[in-house]
Amino acid sequence: MDREDIKALLAAEGAQMELLLKRALEVKLREMDSYVHLRGLIELGNVCEKNCLYCGLRRGNARVKRYCLTDDEVLSCARLAHELGYGSVAIQAGERTDAGFIARIERLIREIKKFDGGSLGITLSLGEQSEDTYRRWFDAGAHRYLLRIESSDEELYRKIHPGDSKHSFSRRVSCLESLLKTGYLTGTGVMVGLPFQTLDHLAGDLLFFKQMDVAMVGLGPYIPHPDTPLYRFKDLIPGAKERMDMTLKMIAVLRLMMPRINMVAATANQTIDPEGREKAIRAGANVIMPNLTPGEYRESYFIYPNKACVKDSPGQCRTCLDLRLAAIGHKIQYNAWGDPPAHITKL
Ligand code: SAM
Ligand code: SF4
């Protein structure tokens, strides 16, 4: 598919859109299976050195109450993931590059890897780091890393980030290259429905994922946050239904372009549509990240307003997911890392 073919598919509406989603589901079931893989999400902390114009955790947002989980809290979350049979955890946080933080993450990865002979897979989503840091964390036992490109169009990237060297597009791309070089199953992705974003940008994003040959992609709607600078452009963005539909079409087209990668049904989908996560699974996604962060911190991980599931306990989440997925003919694969078939890791 070239850029124009992709744009035509992303423009599909009504019956044509339904056909696209149906075809993507068929391809997923043929090339992968009907299993959904879980990553128990640990939101380790919301302290961030960066100032992305769209995100509630940005350094410049004085209204957010900052926190960082203790080592014991992180390890209890990981133990819980193991007990619930989730197979993997994803550790996510605001970006920090201080030596103490880097050493602490390395230590925590090694501790988690001690459970049950290293049976828990570890995904990290800790932003831009040096190649040496990526290597240290990989050597400690993390094997997947998520770093969204946010937009693969340099001009749009500049519009949604401050113009300083800490927010450079070329650095973002070179971090993705370092992750791939280090050996991580590397994931990237974008927000869908950003102000100034066009169909051409979105088609370019899908081509970028293919060109980078990533193993995982996370796509989710942009949700405007009132305490961020980008909020003033909220009237320029499509409505919630349009953002949801475009996210589903992006997932579906990508499933046709890259049939055997992992794709996350992002929580943001559920935030703007109560059935958003199931819809994403039916459009071709195959990974869900149920939240394991202790209840008292969840509201402080305030990336965007009205985050879904902030009040559910991990036990409730598991039952709810089993039922919701069974209703759409999918089931969870418990006690497995759930790497994509083309990239099964042998550590
Ligand atoms: N700090 C790390 C990073 O930026 O990669 C990980 C945490 S960051 C909160 C995770 C993701 O949240 C970002 O990649 C971004 O796409 C998403 N995000 C931030 N603000 C958002 C918003 N207003 N709406 C939707 N997604 C948002
Ligand atoms: Fe920080 Fe990530 Fe939010 Fe940017 S998107 S402000 S790096 S937490």
Side-chain angles (χ1 to χ4, degrees), residues 40 67 82 119 163-164 175 191 193 211 218 226 237 239 264 278 305 322 347:
Y67 76 90
H82 184 50
S119 66
D164 56 33
C175 281
M191 286 171 286
Q211 179 210 325
I237 66 170
V264 185
E278 291 89 313
D322 274 332
L347 288 182

Side-chain angles (χ1 to χ4, degrees), residues 21 219-221 240 243-245 247-248 251 264-285 287-288 308 324-325 328:
L21 304 189
L219 296 162
R243 273 177 285 146
M244 183 72 221
D245 283 355
T247 304
L248 297 177
I251 292 172
V264 185
T267 313
N269 290 305
Q270 212 186 345
T271 297
I272 61 168
D273 178 337
E275 303 208 331
R277 238 172 7 182
E278 291 89 313
K279 287 183 181 170
I281 295 291
R282 285 184 61 78
V287 174
I288 287 182
R324 281 169 173 259
L325 292 171
I328 57 163

Side-chain angles (χ1 to χ4, degrees), residues 45 47-48 50 52-57 91-96 125-128 145-150 172 189-192 194 218 220-225 228 230 243 268 301-305:
V47 177
C48 187
K50 303 270 286 278
C52 308
L53 302 180
Y54 42 83
C55 175
L57 305 191
I91 302 179
Q92 196 186 76
E95 194 172 301
R96 283 183 58 181
S125 178
L126 301 170
E128 295 173 26
Y145 203 104
L146 288 172
L147 182 73
R148 282 184 174 179
I149 188 72
E150 314 297 2
R172 194 90 181 162
V190 295
M191 286 171 286
V192 177
L194 286 163
Y222 162 64
I223 301 175
H225 186 313
T228 62
L230 210 62
R243 273 177 285 146
Y301 202 76
F302 191 22
I303 310 175
Y304 48 73

